[in-house]
Amino acid sequence: MEEDVDFRIRFSSLCFITDHVGFRGTIKSSPSDFVVIEIDEQGQLVNKATDDPVYKISKVQPEPNNFAKKTKLDLQNLSFEERSNQEVSTLAGCSGDDQNHQSRSEKEDTVKDGASKGEEGKVDIISSLLDERTNELLNQFAGDIKEKWSSKTELIGPSPEFSLGRILDKNQRAILHSAIRQKFPFLVTVGKNSEIFVKPNLEYKELCHLVSEEEAFDFFKYLDAKKENSRFTFKPDTNKDHRKAVHHFVNKKFGNLVETKSFPGLNYNASNPNVVITVRFREKVHKHRKRSLVECPEGKVIHTAFTLRKENLEMFEAVGFLAIKLGVIPSDFSYAGLKDKKAITYQAMVVRKVTPERLKNIEKEIEKKRMNVFNIHSVEDSLRLGQLKGNHFDIVIRNLKNQINDSANLKERILEAIENVKSKGFVNYYGPQRFGMGRKVHTDQIGLALLKSEMVKAVKLFLTPEDLDNPVNRAKKYFLQTEDAKGTLSLMPELKVRERALLESLHRFGVTEEGCIQAWFSLPHSMRIFYVHAYSSKIWNEAVSYRLTTYGSRVVEGDLVCLDEDVNDEHFPNSKVHLVTEEEESANSYAIHQVVLPVLGYNIQYPKNKVGQWYQEILSRDGLQTYRFKVPTLKLNVPGCYRQILKHPHNLSYQLMEEQNTDVKTEGSHIHEAALSLLISFDLDASCYATICLREIMKHDF
C-alpha cells in the first residue's frame, strides 16, 4: 500500500496504550486482503443471505407505463365534481422528489403541482369554489396589484395579502391553489390552517424587470402547468449580458425544476446575432415525479433494503453510480456507516422510491463496477447513521518483519502483540479514512470552513488538486485558475459524482457565497455533515492524545466517565456521563476504559480539568464557539456526543501463514525464505477503526 507521508506525520503523534514492541507488515496489498462486513443491530452479519426469497415485495406495483397513461387527465371534458376527484389523485400523491419545489409542509398547504388546464376551465373552478363576492374581491385585489406595478409604485411595508376564507375540504383547496395561479401568474397562494391567502408574486415582478410582462405572464403559467415534454421560449435577444441575466434569474429561482439553454434564433448571422433562451423541465425531476406517483399509490414512499457488496470503490462513488442507474438522487440512499475504499465491503442500505424489482433489474449492470446487491426486500423506513452494532473484519497482513533493531523471534512478537491488545485494548482514535487521503487538503479543513460559514473557501478546498497529473486534478486546477464551472465540468470524469454535482450547481448559481451554499445542497445531507464530523474527529484525536500524555491511565478529578458498562456506540445522553470527583479519584472508583471525551457539538459538557481548558483553547484558536456547531444555511446541526478513549476487539482469532517469497533473502544467506503473513479476524463496535486496532497491535503507522 502506498504510504502517505502527511498521514504518517499526522498519526505518528498519536499515543499507544500498550507497551509491547510490535512488528511491521503491509495491509491492503489488494482489496481481498481487507474484508469488512457490517454487523446489524441484531448482531447478524449482513453478508449472510436471508432465508426469504431473493427479494420480497410488500404489494404488487402497477407497471410504470400503464400507470403513467392512466394519470393523464382530460379536465376540459369532465364535470367539476369529476375534475375535483381525479385532479386531486394527481396533486395529493407523494412528494419528496424535489425538496425545494414539491415537498412543502402540510401546515402551509401549498400545492404547486397541477396539470395544464384551459383558462375557461380555471374560471369555472374558481367560480365554483368561491362565492360571488369573494370572487369579485379576488379580481379586484389582482387588478390593484397589476395597477400598482404598472404605475411603478413600490409596495411599501409588508406584502399585501387577501384571504379567500377557510376551505375545509383539502381536495378543493388543492384545486383552488392551482386554478388561481394559472389565472393570475403574478400572484402566489399560501394556505394556513385551511385558510387560503393570496399575495403578490415578487419573483414575477423581478422577472418583469428583465423581460416583457407578457413573457413573464406566460413563463409563470408554463411553470405552474408542468406539462410533460413542454418548453418555453423567451423572445429573441441580441444582448449577451442581458441573456446572461435572464439565465441567472431562472436558474437561481427555479434551477432545481427547470434548465435553460441559448439557441440561435431565426435569421441569425453576425450582423443580427439573435439568440433565444429556451426553458425546459429537468428530465430527472420529471422522471422522479412520475416514479413517485407509480410507487406511492397511497401517499406512502416505497423503501427497499438490500446488502451492498463493493470492491475497491469509494462509498460515495458507489452511491452515485447506483443513483444514476436507478434514476434517483444520492440522498435517496441511507446507510448505517461509511466503509473503506480499498477493501471488499458488505453493508446494509435502503433506497427510497425504488421497488425491489427495479433494484433486482440492475444487478448485471452494476457488476461491471465491482458491485453486487442481494437480500433485497421492502422495508418501512430509511436507515440512520450509527444504526448498526459494529463491523467484522477479515484482514491479511503480508510481508511480516521485526521492528528495526529488534532481533527477537518474529512469531513470538506477533503472539505477544495480539494477546496484549486483546487484554488491554487500543486507543480509540478515528482512522485516516475519516480525513480523506489527500495530501494537500483534508476533510477536516473543509469541515472547519463550513462551520465558520466560509462557503466559497470550503468549495475551493474541496476542489483543490493534488500534485498528480490525472484528469481529475487537471480539472480541479483549471477551476481554481478560472472559476469556470462549465469548462471544468467538461474536464471532470463522469465517475467523480460529488465533484460534478458541485460543479453543475456552481455553473447554475455562480461562484458566490450564495451560489456555493446552493452547491453544497447538491450533495446529500450525509455528505455535508461528513466534513463537519471530520473536523470534530480531528479535534477528538488531538484531545485524547493530550489526555493520555497529561494524566496517563489514571482516572483523575474532572474526567468524564460513562456510567453505562454496555455502551458500544457514541450516542449516549448527558445523563449517563458523570464528572469524577476528588473523592472518587482518591478511591480509584473508575477505570480508564470508562473515561470518555466529548466529540465537539453544541450539546456536550467538557472535562473540568486541564483537558477541558485545552478544548476551550482549541475552539478559540480555530475561531469557533459552541453555537457555531449549528449551520442553518446548510441545515447542519451538530449536537456532539461522547466517545470512549479505549476500546477492545471482540472475537479475535488469527492464523500465521507461510508464503514462498523469492524476492526476500535472509541476511547473510543465499537461500530464499518463506515470507510470513498473518490472517487476523475480529469484531469492532460501531465507529471503531480496524486500522487503528492494527496500529496498536503492530506499533506501526500506515
Side-chain angles (χ1 to χ4, degrees):
M1 180 181 177
E2 183 183 350
E3 292 184 333
D4 185 326
V5 176
D6 287 352
F7 268 115
R8 286 184 58 79
I9 294 170
R10 200 173 202 190
F11 277 79
S12 62
S13 62
L14 304 187
C15 298
F16 295 106
I17 199 67
T18 52
D19 56 6
H20 58 266
V21 174
F23 54 93
R24 292 182 296 154
T26 306
I27 65 168
K28 297 189 177 182
S29 298
S30 71
S32 59
D33 280 354
F34 204 93
V35 179
V36 187
I37 307 168
E38 205 166 78
I39 305 170
D40 66 22
E41 290 183 305
Q42 288 71 47
Q44 300 298 311
L45 297 175
V46 301
N47 69 326
K48 302 293 184 186
T50 62
D51 294 331
D52 299 324
V54 176
Y55 58 96
K56 300 179 285 186
I57 307 168
S58 56
K59 292 188 179 177
V60 176
Q61 302 298 329
E63 286 296 320
N65 291 338
N66 295 339
F67 188 85
K69 288 174 184 173
K70 289 176 188 174
T71 62
K72 291 184 179 179
L73 307 176
D74 183 7
L75 293 175
Q76 295 305 308
N77 296 322
L78 295 176
S79 67
F80 172 71
E81 185 176 353
E82 289 169 322
R83 279 199 302 267
S84 297
N85 293 336
Q86 291 209 34
E87 187 174 4
V88 168
S89 70
T90 307
L91 294 174
C94 304
S95 64
D97 27 310
D98 185 308
Q99 292 180 353
N100 291 328
H101 293 276
Q102 288 172 282
S103 180
R104 298 291 178 95
S105 70
E106 287 190 13
K107 273 186 184 175
E108 292 199 355
D109 219 3
T110 305
V111 181
K112 285 199 173 184
D113 277 348
S116 179
K117 307 170 184 69
E119 198 65 43
E120 185 181 341
K122 287 295 179 222
V123 175
D124 289 342
I125 290 173
I126 295 173
S127 301
S128 301
L129 286 172
L130 299 178
D131 61 68
E132 188 175 344
R133 177 61 179 158
T134 305
N135 196 9
E136 201 175 289
L137 291 172
L138 171 63
N139 282 285
Q140 185 179 327
F141 177 81
D144 288 346
I145 297 298
K146 287 294 291 289
E147 187 179 334
K148 286 179 181 177
W149 283 354
S150 299
S151 65
K152 310 297 183 189
T153 304
E154 288 298 321
L155 298 172
I156 300 172
S159 183
E161 62 181 39
F162 171 67
S163 172
L164 303 178
R166 296 189 71 196
I167 298 176
L168 299 179
D169 186 281
K170 185 178 179 181
N171 295 349
Q172 292 182 358
R173 289 199 307 271
I175 295 169
L176 187 57
H177 275 293
S178 183
I180 289 172
R181 284 198 301 269
Q182 277 290 304
K183 184 179 180 184
F184 306 113
F186 51 90
L187 300 178
V188 292
T189 58
V190 177
K192 296 177 184 176
N193 299 322
S194 303
E195 186 175 3
I196 295 181
F197 293 89
V198 182
K199 300 180 180 183
N201 184 345
L202 299 181
E203 291 172 343
Y204 178 98
K205 184 183 179 186
E206 193 176 339
L207 183 59
C208 285
H209 292 310
L210 295 171
V211 300
S212 69
E213 187 174 347
E214 177 191 2
E215 289 175 280
F217 189 93
D218 291 341
F219 174 72
F220 276 89
K221 284 187 65 172
Y222 161 79
L223 273 188
D224 189 66
K226 295 185 176 69
K227 191 173 181 181
E228 186 174 2
N229 297 324
S230 63
R231 297 180 180 225
F232 177 84
T233 302
F234 288 100
K235 290 178 181 177
D237 190 349
T238 59
N239 188 320
K240 184 176 180 180
D241 289 337
H242 182 258
R243 292 197 307 270
K244 187 175 180 180
V246 175
H247 277 295
H248 184 72
F249 171 85
V250 174
N251 284 318
K252 181 179 179 182
K253 301 292 185 182
F254 314 106
N256 288 327
L257 186 66
V258 297
E259 59 185 348
T260 62
K261 287 191 177 179
S262 292
F263 296 98
L266 294 174
N267 304 318
Y268 176 91
N269 55 54
S271 60
N272 180 37
N274 273 348
V275 174
V276 295
I277 296 174
T278 296
V279 183
R280 67 179 183 186
F281 288 103
R282 290 187 173 277
E283 289 184 12
K284 283 197 291 187
V285 171
H286 196 64
K287 284 178 182 174
H288 294 166
R289 187 169 157 256
K290 278 175 79 173
R291 185 168 297 122
S292 68
L293 288 169
V294 171
E295 295 167 8
C296 314
E298 297 174 0
K300 187 176 180 181
V301 178
I302 283 285
H303 290 80
T304 295
F306 60 98
T307 295
L308 172 69
R309 178 195 184 275
K310 64 179 181 65
E311 179 178 339
N312 201 28
L313 197 62
E314 188 188 50
M315 178 149 159
F316 293 139
E317 185 182 334
V319 168
F321 186 78
L322 287 171
I324 291 169
K325 290 299 175 186
L326 292 168
V328 294
I329 56 178
S331 57
D332 285 322
F333 290 83
S334 57
Y335 35 82
L338 304 178
K339 297 290 177 279
D340 299 69
K341 176 186 177 181
K342 193 167 184 182
I344 294 175
T345 67
Y346 297 81
Q347 67 190 112
M349 279 200 173
V350 172
V351 58
R352 298 168 67 247
K353 299 181 288 187
V354 172
T355 59
E357 299 100 320
R358 271 200 22 249
L359 184 57
K360 179 73 176 168
N361 287 340
I362 67 163
E363 278 187 312
K364 295 294 182 188
E365 294 180 74
I366 66 174
E367 283 177 5
K368 301 169 188 173
K369 283 290 268 186
R370 305 176 304 281
M371 288 191 284
N372 304 95
V373 291
F374 55 98
N375 291 341
I376 303 169
H377 60 282
S378 294
V379 291
E380 295 296 318
D381 209 349
S382 299
L383 278 169
R384 301 184 315 275
L385 282 172
Q387 195 177 342
L388 73 165
K389 188 172 183 181
N391 292 284
H392 172 80
F393 298 88
D394 292 315
I395 298 168
V396 179
I397 307 171
R398 301 191 185 277
N399 305 317
L400 298 175
K401 299 175 184 176
N402 285 85
Q403 298 283 21
I404 297 171
N405 300 324
D406 177 28
S407 58
N409 181 280
L410 178 57
K411 292 183 181 179
E412 289 178 5
R413 285 294 193 216
I414 293 169
L415 176 62
E416 171 195 38
I418 291 173
E419 293 301 324
N420 208 10
V421 171
K422 275 175 72 173
S423 61
K424 295 181 181 178
F426 59 95
V427 185
N428 191 24
Y429 289 115
Y430 289 98
Q433 57 268 53
R434 185 81 165 190
F435 310 103
M437 297 310 293
R439 288 174 168 83
K440 282 193 172 181
V441 174
H442 299 296
T443 53
D444 57 271
Q445 296 170 265
I446 299 171
L448 177 58
L450 293 176
L451 283 170
K452 295 169 76 172
S453 294
E454 297 172 343
M455 300 302 170
V456 176
K457 179 180 179 180
V459 164
K460 289 185 175 180
L461 284 170
F462 182 89
L463 292 172
T464 296
E466 297 294 331
D467 292 326
L468 296 170
D469 187 24
N470 58 36
V472 174
N473 287 302
R474 285 196 291 272
K476 288 181 176 181
K477 186 176 181 181
Y478 175 79
F479 176 80
L480 289 191
Q481 290 171 341
T482 65
E483 292 190 4
D484 173 13
K486 185 178 181 182
T488 309
L489 261 173
S490 66
L491 300 172
M492 187 64 69
E494 290 288 335
L495 62 88
K496 304 306 287 184
V497 177
R498 282 177 294 170
E499 286 81 356
R500 291 188 63 84
L502 212 70
L503 288 164
E504 283 170 2
S505 243
L506 293 173
H507 171 50
R508 193 183 313 158
F509 300 111
V511 188
T512 61
E513 198 72 18
E514 179 61 32
C516 289
I517 289 171
Q518 294 297 327
W520 282 111
F521 270 114
S522 70
L523 303 183
H525 179 271
S526 57
M527 291 188 195
R528 299 197 299 276
I529 201 79
F530 169 77
Y531 294 103
V532 174
H533 285 165
Y535 170 75
S536 298
S537 302
K538 178 211 172 198
I539 300 304
W540 192 92
N541 276 4
E542 294 176 0
V544 74
S545 288
Y546 179 81
R547 164 62 182 77
L548 291 171
T549 301
T550 304
Y551 296 119
S553 296
R554 293 185 302 120
V555 180
V556 301
E557 179 184 0
D559 272 338
L560 298 173
V561 293
C562 178
L563 298 176
D564 190 341
E565 290 287 335
D566 297 325
V567 166
N568 65 358
D569 65 22
E570 300 175 352
H571 302 284
F572 47 89
N574 278 312
S575 60
K576 291 188 177 180
V577 177
H578 171 70
L579 199 65
V580 176
T581 65
E582 184 180 358
E583 293 75 22
E584 288 169 333
E585 177 186 350
S586 300
N588 292 322
S589 301
Y590 300 103
I592 187 65
H593 72 270
Q594 293 174 278
V595 175
V596 298
L597 285 176
V599 181
L600 291 173
Y602 60 80
N603 189 32
I604 44 107
Q605 58 175 312
Y606 294 95
K608 300 290 186 184
N609 52 30
K610 290 181 180 178
V611 182
Q613 295 170 16
W614 180 91
Y615 269 104
Q616 299 309 319
E617 289 168 6
I618 290 297
L619 286 172
S620 178
R621 177 198 74 185
D622 289 345
L624 293 174
Q625 293 78 34
T626 302
Y627 74 86
R628 280 292 185 91
F629 289 86
K630 291 184 179 182
V631 189
T633 51
L634 292 184
K635 296 184 180 177
L636 299 178
N637 290 310
V638 188
C641 57
Y642 300 92
R643 184 175 175 90
Q644 291 169 293
I645 68 174
L646 296 185
K647 280 286 188 179
H648 286 76
H650 312 296
N651 304 320
L652 191 151
S653 62
Y654 63 95
Q655 178 184 352
L656 282 167
M657 302 177 293
E658 292 188 352
E659 297 178 299
Q660 196 64 35
N661 187 342
T662 56
D663 296 326
V664 178
K665 295 183 179 181
T666 56
E667 193 173 334
S669 171
H670 298 287
I671 60 170
H672 299 299
E673 77 168 12
L676 269 183
S677 292
L678 173 68
L679 170 60
I680 186 168
S681 298
F682 50 84
D683 299 341
L684 293 178
D685 293 336
S687 195
C688 293
Y689 290 79
T691 47
I692 296 299
C693 181
L694 293 177
R695 175 184 179 274
E696 187 83 47
I697 290 172
M698 299 170 66
K699 295 291 194 290
H700 177 58
D701 289 302
F702 300 106

